[in-house]
Each structure stands twice: as C-alpha cells, then as structure tokens.
Amino acid sequence: MTDFPPEITKEEMGKVSLFLSNINSTFSKERSNLIPILQEAQNRIGYLPHEAMLGIAEFLDIPDIDVYSVVTFYNQFRLNPPGKHSIRVCMGTACHVGGGTVIMDAWKRRLGIDKRQTTPDREFDLDTVACVGCCAMAPVTVIDEEVQGKISPTRVDGILLGYQIERKKESQSS
Amino acid sequence: MSSEIASAYQQLKETSQSRWTDLIQGDKPVIMVGTATCGRAAGALDVLESIRKTLGDDHQDIPVLEVGCIGHCYAEPLVIIAKPGGEYPPLLYGYVTPEIAQLLVRDYVFGEDPSLEFLLGAMETNELLPSMNDLPRSTYEHYIILENCGRIDPDNIDHYIATGGYGALAKSLQMQPENVVEEIKKSGLRGRGGAGFSTGAKWQICRDSESDYKYIICNADEGDPGAFMDRAILESDPHSLIEGIVIAAYAAGTQEGYVYIRAEYPLAVQRVTKAIEQARQSNLLGDNIVGSNFSFDISVFQGSGAFVCGEETALIASIEGRAGMPHHRPPFPAVNGLHGKPTIINNVKTLASVPRIIDRGADWFSGIGLNATKGTTVFALAGKITNTGLTEVPMGTTLRDVIFEIGGGIPEGRQFKAVQIGGPSGGCLPESALDLPIDFDSLRDAGAMMGSGGMVILNEDDCMVDVARYFLEFTQNESCGKCTVCRLGTKQMLNMLDDITKGEAKLEDLVTLEQLAHDIKAGSLCNLGKTAPNPVLTTLRYFRDEYEAHIHDKHCPARRCYNLMAYYILPEKCQRSCDACVGTCTVEAIYQGKTGIKVIDQDKCVKCNTCVEACPPQYNAITRISPLSELPEAMPPMEKK
C-alpha cells in the first residue's frame, strides 16, 4: 500500500453520497452482497474512499473493519483516486520472461511514480495485473481496458507521446 | 414427461435454426472475425471496423460475426470467410491487418479471388486447398472441449442451438439424475482444474448429501499466470459451459448456480452474462427447463483479484462476502459448502466437457486418452515458442510432441531449456523430462503439476533462478496470511532467492532453502502453500548448477539477473557511422567513445534491452556480460574539438 490516501474532493464526495443514497434500490442488506457493492461503488466513484466504506458498513450493519479487511484483501479494490487513464502492466509468466519488469520500469521511469500510485496531475495511475490471459502477445500492458500487446520501452514512450499530443490538441481547441 | 421435453427441445431447435438461417441467408457470404481478448490485443477490432467500412451501406446484409478464439493466437488477428455455394470451403486468414481485410472483402467477398497469399488454411478438408486439418500438428490434436471455439458466434444462442447445442441437456432431462451421474462416472472424467478428482464421484457425494438446498459453482477464477484456456472458453463458447452447468445441476440436484469469473476478464464476464440472459429467454434456465419439472438458475459473480480464491473453500468465502481465506477440508464443499449447503465446484473445462460426454456417450469419451485419465486436456502455450496459443490433446501425449510438433519448437534458432507447467503451483521440467506422457500423476511424480494447463516455454536466455524467484514472489504476494509457514516462510524463501540473484548468497543457503520449502509444504492448509515451493524445488532438482553459478561465480548463465550482468558494445563489431543505439536508448546512457565507437555508461544504463533490438543485425554489436568482473573497462568519451 502506498501513502495515506489524499483528501476526498467535493465532486467525489457528491458521488459517494449519491451512491449511498441509491444503494437501497440495487442491493439487499445481505453480507454476501459486500463484494458486489464494493465493485459497484468503485465503478461509480473510481475508488473506495473512507467515507464510502463507512457508509457501506452502516448499510450492511457490519463492523467497519470487516469492510476494510475485504477491501485490502483483494487486489481489485483501490484506496487511491484513479488517474484519467489507468495503466496496468501484466506480470504474468509469459510477460515476465518476455521482459515484463523492464516494461514496468519503463512506465515507472516515464511517469515518475511507483506501482499503485497516481501522477500528481491525476492523468495516469500505474499498477500491475497478475495475468490478463493474452500470453501470446507478451509483454502486455492494459490501458483503460484496452490490451496492448508486444510492448517495448520505446513503445511506452510512443504511447505517452500520443496522450501528450492529444492533450495539447484538447487545450488548443478549448 | 420425456416426450414433452423432447418436443419442447425440438421446437426450440427449429425456431433457432430458422432464425439462424434467416440471419445467414443461405447463399450470402459470411465473415467471421476472432475478437476474443487475444485477438483484440492484436488489433482485431480495427480489422472488424475496416471490414464493416469496406462492406459499406450497400452490403449491410452480409453478416459479419464476432467469434472467439480458435487457438492459433500466434497468427492473430484471424478472419474466416465462408462463401456458401462457392468453389472453396470456408477459408481462414491469418495476420490480418485493416488493409489486408479491405483487400479480402474487395477481392474475395465481392470478387472471386480468394487471395491465397494471406491464407492460413481452409476450415474443412477439401481437394483444392490445404486445410487446417492437414497441418502436421493436427495428427496430435483432438478437439473436444475447444471444438466450438472460434467457430460459432458466442453472442448468439441460435447458432449454438442450431448446431445441436443444448441437445445433451434435453437428453439428460429425459434420464433419471442418478443415471446422468452414472454416465459421467463411467466416462472416467476427472476434474480439469488441476487436482484430477473424479467428477462423477464429486456429483455423487453432493447428490447423497441431505439438504433442502444445494449449489453449484463453476470455478472460472483462472488465476495461474500463463494460463488462458478458460478465458478462451468463456469468451468463445459460453453456452457449452452453461449447458454443462445445468446438466451437472440436474444430476446432483442443485437449485442455484454461480459462475465465478475473475474481474481481470471483462470480456468473459460480458459474454457469459449475455449468454445466461439468452438461455433464460429460451427457457434453458429458470423454471421448468425445456418442459421438465427441473428449475435452476445461474448468476455471475466477479472475483476481485485474489489468486487464492481459485482454492474452493476460499472461493466460497469470497462469494459469501468475506476475505478469501481457505478453511480446513474435510468437510468438503460437496458436503458443506456455500452458506453451509452442499456445493459442487467444477472447473470450466470439466463442465464444458459434460455436454459432449452426454451427447456422444461415456464409452466414446473413455476411449480417448489413458487408462488412468480419460479424455483430453487443454494447454495454453506461451513464452519462447513459435506457435503460441491453445491446443487440446488426448491425455498421454508427450510434452515433446506438444512443444515441438504442435508448438513448432523454439523460435530464432534458440535452444530449449525448460518448460514451466502448472503455473505457480507447478514446476520447471528440463529436456530430459520431455518424453513424459502427460497425465495428472506422471507430472506430479516429476515434481510439476498439471494445474490449469498453462505451459510457458523457456529458452537458453531465461534464468531458472529468476523464474523460480518470479513465482515465489507471486505466491508470496498472494498468500492470504492465514498459515504462518506460508505467510512468513515464503517471504524468507524470497529473501534468499533475492540474495542468490544478487550474488550475495552462500552455498549453505541452498540447504536451508530446501528445508524451508519442505516445511512450507508440510505446514500449509491449502494448496497455495502446499505447492508454492514447487518452482523452487524443481529448479533446484533439475538446474542446481545454475544456482551454484550464481553463488560461486556471481555468474548468471543466462545473463538475465539484473545485478549480475551488464550490456556491452563490442568495439570490434560496432560501426562508427551508425547511431541506432544512441537514438533509441531510453535513458541516454550511450555515448561516443574516443575512437568513435559507441560506449554504454554503466551508471546510467537501466538494462532495458532496447539498444540490442535497435542494433542492426549485420553488426549485432551489443552483448550481455556476466559476471560483472569480465566487463572491460569503459572507453573515455571522444574529445570535443
């Protein structure tokens, strides 16, 4: 786990309140709904802030610590706000022998952040994934759910350059 | 009752067939694009778009289907074009780019030229063209579980039913549940999840357990890095799986089912959810399935990224909303499982085999494979192998045949070193073990494990210590923390392996490492801990010399270990006028030396291998050196005039 999660923004707090007020209509108050609720909350809010976890514990009438223990047990749940683009570097066996760590190093170096962190401008967040099952395309990086095969350190630069140009265009047009 | 089911199914089949023929329209060409995750990674969606665009508004009536994975992942993206009534059988094209796709549509779909230069093979044996069945590998392969993958539209239930799908379910519903269990027992089907427990026996135990409510769970939490066959089945042929689950549910007398899919497989979740919805609409799930008095339904549960949840008791804990920690067995889930009720947990491949067995009979199935283990097994081939992808072979095929005949051997003229089989629970087997006939028991004796069937092939460039370290890091990360030996023991083992890869270990450490490995095996509750030391133990058994080289000589024979090797530009091979490496170096670590040749600044180099790929093959001047003591002194930079 990384540093203590940053303070929640107003916009995120709004999303949390909206999620908690609607939780009744989508889920019943059963303990077995905990993981689906957390998954849905993360989908809506982007991550699982403190406030959301407390609300979910209250809704299910279970101790706060039970929610926290489940959230920290599973890799899927995140306590940090996501970046605009999520970067998941595959660390499966085939990717490892194909140079997965080299690719991870390249991302770390270029983004200036470590695993499970978000860039200060909230543009990118970086994490690993155990295996996305595209071993034939190793080494693989998943960017916003899109699987990119046969990555090399130079392609890392290329992909980031692509986003840079896109952002420049956006700022010019606006 | 029996006749009602038969007529209900007959009606269902006729409706599906007519709907399907309406869509396909008999004489119209059909284009199929493999858009499973592997295809998408290779750019299949761009190909799909290019095909749709080329067809244009005038040819919207030509069906373009998104199918799953046919197993030939090395040649992705794949496109199948069928022209009924034409000269040729359906043709399979490989390595398709958007441009080639455009050409195929213009020349073959609109025109008559089958563009044979892009052909991989015909889909059926014929007299004009070589077919996929004519490939040498097909003499070793036997497709049962994967037979529909990439050949049918996973998003359209009509296609599955029109080709006889759900017929096995209708047949089962007309049998007594006990007889269905008997049939599966007779077939000799063993669980394909790795442990190889008799499927029929498991169903029998659940059936015999007295309870008012029972569950069935399909374990699709394919966590083994390097295995992707379950993903392929979920994405390519979800209805075979659903049919298998319903048959199992009927046989064992369960009322509710789950498919537990890992969240890392979003497309699989999407396709299975859709397939379940379609099955419900066709009354293949829900109340009174196909006119019988059997009622049953399935829901999808998304795993949240924890390897240990592939262990059945941890998986149950996860569905119950708790942290996925395993508990002691017995009682086995078949007696006391989800919410305390009897629960069957079967792997995707096991359940996908069930409809075929019911359809074609137990005798047919037991005629395939070995005496001890019937049927076929699916392997995912990855790593340093020519034909990456999926294959299915009868049990008893040798590893050598799978790797060299089906997989096409090692690319780039490299030497085979080892095959890692069974993921983090398995082991690395050397050349000498390749003639082993594949079976649950034979692999266990060799120190590896069938596991889920992921095979990663390693060549001379891979360091066995590094591979063992990689797997241990994985299991150490994924240890749930319940058992002390697993939680702390794997951490200690990892520290020792770290020291070895850094050249800081002593020879005695190997003894401690081995001892600790055996302790972890003995003292862990679940199979994660029991098998976690396997990669270390097998590499110690077959590749001890590599460990010793790291310790003694601080030499990594594969020149892989970060701390024990360095990149070096051979002065006699480097070309003065070429700047390829300087331009591509991601950290600007290459400078021009005194004599004009290029030199790597070792303090800056991050060992990313980019320069090696950039160096033109006619020079091939960059090499890796280990141990570091052999690294020649760096030349000072060229003086500026």
PDB file of all heavy atoms in Angstrom, chain B residues 184-199:
ATOM      1  N   ILE B 184     -21.449 -40.071 -16.225  1.00  0.00           N
ATOM      2  CA  ILE B 184     -20.227 -39.273 -16.081  1.00  0.00           C
ATOM      3  C   ILE B 184     -19.154 -40.098 -15.354  1.00  0.00           C
ATOM      4  O   ILE B 184     -17.975 -40.076 -15.709  1.00  0.00           O
ATOM      5  CB  ILE B 184     -20.516 -37.953 -15.327  1.00  0.00           C
ATOM      6  CG1 ILE B 184     -21.435 -37.057 -16.157  1.00  0.00           C
ATOM      7  CG2 ILE B 184     -19.232 -37.209 -14.985  1.00  0.00           C
ATOM      8  CD1 ILE B 184     -20.858 -36.607 -17.481  1.00  0.00           C
ATOM      9  N   LYS B 185     -19.604 -40.854 -14.361  1.00  0.00           N
ATOM     10  CA  LYS B 185     -18.648 -41.737 -13.649  1.00  0.00           C
ATOM     11  C   LYS B 185     -18.028 -42.715 -14.626  1.00  0.00           C
ATOM     12  O   LYS B 185     -16.831 -42.948 -14.624  1.00  0.00           O
ATOM     13  CB  LYS B 185     -19.393 -42.519 -12.568  1.00  0.00           C
ATOM     14  CG  LYS B 185     -19.427 -41.854 -11.217  1.00  0.00           C
ATOM     15  CD  LYS B 185     -19.832 -42.902 -10.215  1.00  0.00           C
ATOM     16  CE  LYS B 185     -20.394 -42.320  -8.971  1.00  0.00           C
ATOM     17  NZ  LYS B 185     -21.102 -43.315  -8.160  1.00  0.00           N
ATOM     18  N   LYS B 186     -18.896 -43.321 -15.445  1.00  0.00           N
ATOM     19  CA  LYS B 186     -18.445 -44.330 -16.397  1.00  0.00           C
ATOM     20  C   LYS B 186     -17.450 -43.743 -17.407  1.00  0.00           C
ATOM     21  O   LYS B 186     -16.529 -44.416 -17.851  1.00  0.00           O
ATOM     22  CB  LYS B 186     -19.661 -44.900 -17.131  1.00  0.00           C
ATOM     23  CG  LYS B 186     -19.510 -46.359 -17.523  1.00  0.00           C
ATOM     24  CD  LYS B 186     -20.811 -46.915 -18.067  1.00  0.00           C
ATOM     25  CE  LYS B 186     -20.843 -46.846 -19.575  1.00  0.00           C
ATOM     26  NZ  LYS B 186     -22.143 -47.145 -20.171  1.00  0.00           N
ATOM     27  N   SER B 187     -17.653 -42.478 -17.737  1.00  0.00           N
ATOM     28  CA  SER B 187     -16.766 -41.849 -18.727  1.00  0.00           C
ATOM     29  C   SER B 187     -15.350 -41.657 -18.182  1.00  0.00           C
ATOM     30  O   SER B 187     -14.397 -41.509 -18.938  1.00  0.00           O
ATOM     31  CB  SER B 187     -17.323 -40.497 -19.144  1.00  0.00           C
ATOM     32  OG  SER B 187     -17.112 -39.547 -18.121  1.00  0.00           O
ATOM     33  N   GLY B 188     -15.224 -41.681 -16.844  1.00  0.00           N
ATOM     34  CA  GLY B 188     -13.891 -41.504 -16.242  1.00  0.00           C
ATOM     35  C   GLY B 188     -13.412 -40.064 -16.248  1.00  0.00           C
ATOM     36  O   GLY B 188     -12.219 -39.808 -16.104  1.00  0.00           O
ATOM     37  N   LEU B 189     -14.324 -39.102 -16.408  1.00  0.00           N
ATOM     38  CA  LEU B 189     -13.933 -37.688 -16.423  1.00  0.00           C
ATOM     39  C   LEU B 189     -13.351 -37.277 -15.076  1.00  0.00           C
ATOM     40  O   LEU B 189     -13.950 -37.515 -14.029  1.00  0.00           O
ATOM     41  CB  LEU B 189     -15.158 -36.825 -16.759  1.00  0.00           C
ATOM     42  CG  LEU B 189     -14.959 -35.304 -16.753  1.00  0.00           C
ATOM     43  CD1 LEU B 189     -14.033 -34.873 -17.874  1.00  0.00           C
ATOM     44  CD2 LEU B 189     -16.302 -34.584 -16.881  1.00  0.00           C
ATOM     45  N   ARG B 190     -12.176 -36.660 -15.115  1.00  0.00           N
ATOM     46  CA  ARG B 190     -11.551 -36.147 -13.892  1.00  0.00           C
ATOM     47  C   ARG B 190     -11.473 -34.630 -13.963  1.00  0.00           C
ATOM     48  O   ARG B 190     -11.304 -34.068 -15.046  1.00  0.00           O
ATOM     49  CB  ARG B 190     -10.145 -36.730 -13.720  1.00  0.00           C
ATOM     50  CG  ARG B 190     -10.171 -38.207 -13.364  1.00  0.00           C
ATOM     51  CD  ARG B 190      -8.785 -38.813 -13.427  1.00  0.00           C
ATOM     52  NE  ARG B 190      -7.924 -38.364 -12.328  1.00  0.00           N
ATOM     53  CZ  ARG B 190      -6.691 -38.835 -12.126  1.00  0.00           C
ATOM     54  NH1 ARG B 190      -6.186 -39.739 -12.932  1.00  0.00           N
ATOM     55  NH2 ARG B 190      -5.966 -38.388 -11.122  1.00  0.00           N
ATOM     56  N   GLY B 191     -11.598 -33.989 -12.812  1.00  0.00           N
ATOM     57  CA  GLY B 191     -11.623 -32.532 -12.750  1.00  0.00           C
ATOM     58  C   GLY B 191     -10.425 -31.911 -13.450  1.00  0.00           C
ATOM     59  O   GLY B 191      -9.287 -32.287 -13.202  1.00  0.00           O
ATOM     60  N   ARG B 192     -10.692 -30.963 -14.342  1.00  0.00           N
ATOM     61  CA  ARG B 192      -9.614 -30.368 -15.117  1.00  0.00           C
ATOM     62  C   ARG B 192      -8.996 -29.143 -14.447  1.00  0.00           C
ATOM     63  O   ARG B 192      -8.222 -28.428 -15.046  1.00  0.00           O
ATOM     64  CB  ARG B 192     -10.141 -29.960 -16.503  1.00  0.00           C
ATOM     65  CG  ARG B 192     -10.570 -31.121 -17.375  1.00  0.00           C
ATOM     66  CD  ARG B 192      -9.372 -31.996 -17.724  1.00  0.00           C
ATOM     67  NE  ARG B 192      -9.677 -32.973 -18.775  1.00  0.00           N
ATOM     68  CZ  ARG B 192      -9.895 -34.252 -18.569  1.00  0.00           C
ATOM     69  NH1 ARG B 192      -9.886 -34.734 -17.340  1.00  0.00           N
ATOM     70  NH2 ARG B 192     -10.129 -35.072 -19.571  1.00  0.00           N
ATOM     71  N   GLY B 193      -9.396 -28.886 -13.201  1.00  0.00           N
ATOM     72  CA  GLY B 193      -8.874 -27.712 -12.505  1.00  0.00           C
ATOM     73  C   GLY B 193      -7.456 -27.917 -12.006  1.00  0.00           C
ATOM     74  O   GLY B 193      -6.779 -26.982 -11.630  1.00  0.00           O
ATOM     75  N   GLY B 194      -7.002 -29.164 -11.972  1.00  0.00           N
ATOM     76  CA  GLY B 194      -5.640 -29.410 -11.548  1.00  0.00           C
ATOM     77  C   GLY B 194      -5.488 -30.625 -10.656  1.00  0.00           C
ATOM     78  O   GLY B 194      -4.541 -31.372 -10.765  1.00  0.00           O
ATOM     79  N   ALA B 195      -6.461 -30.836  -9.763  1.00  0.00           N
ATOM     80  CA  ALA B 195      -6.297 -31.917  -8.797  1.00  0.00           C
ATOM     81  C   ALA B 195      -6.672 -33.267  -9.391  1.00  0.00           C
ATOM     82  O   ALA B 195      -6.159 -34.307  -8.981  1.00  0.00           O
ATOM     83  CB  ALA B 195      -7.138 -31.638  -7.564  1.00  0.00           C
ATOM     84  N   GLY B 196      -7.567 -33.269 -10.373  1.00  0.00           N
ATOM     85  CA  GLY B 196      -7.897 -34.519 -11.050  1.00  0.00           C
ATOM     86  C   GLY B 196      -8.823 -35.436 -10.287  1.00  0.00           C
ATOM     87  O   GLY B 196      -8.779 -36.654 -10.448  1.00  0.00           O
ATOM     88  N   PHE B 197      -9.712 -34.860  -9.445  1.00  0.00           N
ATOM     89  CA  PHE B 197     -10.670 -35.680  -8.707  1.00  0.00           C
ATOM     90  C   PHE B 197     -11.783 -36.118  -9.653  1.00  0.00           C
ATOM     91  O   PHE B 197     -12.198 -35.378 -10.542  1.00  0.00           O
ATOM     92  CB  PHE B 197     -11.257 -34.857  -7.549  1.00  0.00           C
ATOM     93  CG  PHE B 197     -12.060 -35.652  -6.579  1.00  0.00           C
ATOM     94  CD1 PHE B 197     -11.447 -36.497  -5.671  1.00  0.00           C
ATOM     95  CD2 PHE B 197     -13.445 -35.558  -6.569  1.00  0.00           C
ATOM     96  CE1 PHE B 197     -12.188 -37.243  -4.776  1.00  0.00           C
ATOM     97  CE2 PHE B 197     -14.195 -36.300  -5.681  1.00  0.00           C
ATOM     98  CZ  PHE B 197     -13.564 -37.142  -4.777  1.00  0.00           C
ATOM     99  N   SER B 198     -12.298 -37.346  -9.440  1.00  0.00           N
ATOM    100  CA  SER B 198     -13.351 -37.862 -10.315  1.00  0.00           C
ATOM    101  C   SER B 198     -14.604 -36.985 -10.241  1.00  0.00           C
ATOM    102  O   SER B 198     -15.163 -36.759  -9.167  1.00  0.00           O
ATOM    103  CB  SER B 198     -13.696 -39.290  -9.908  1.00  0.00           C
ATOM    104  OG  SER B 198     -14.992 -39.606 -10.368  1.00  0.00           O
ATOM    105  N   THR B 199     -15.020 -36.470 -11.401  1.00  0.00           N
ATOM    106  CA  THR B 199     -16.164 -35.561 -11.437  1.00  0.00           C
ATOM    107  C   THR B 199     -17.458 -36.253 -11.010  1.00  0.00           C
ATOM    108  O   THR B 199     -18.236 -35.719 -10.212  1.00  0.00           O
ATOM    109  CB  THR B 199     -16.315 -34.989 -12.860  1.00  0.00           C
ATOM    110  OG1 THR B 199     -15.074 -34.420 -13.247  1.00  0.00           O
ATOM    111  CG2 THR B 199     -17.399 -33.939 -12.942  1.00  0.00           C
TER     112      THR B 199
END
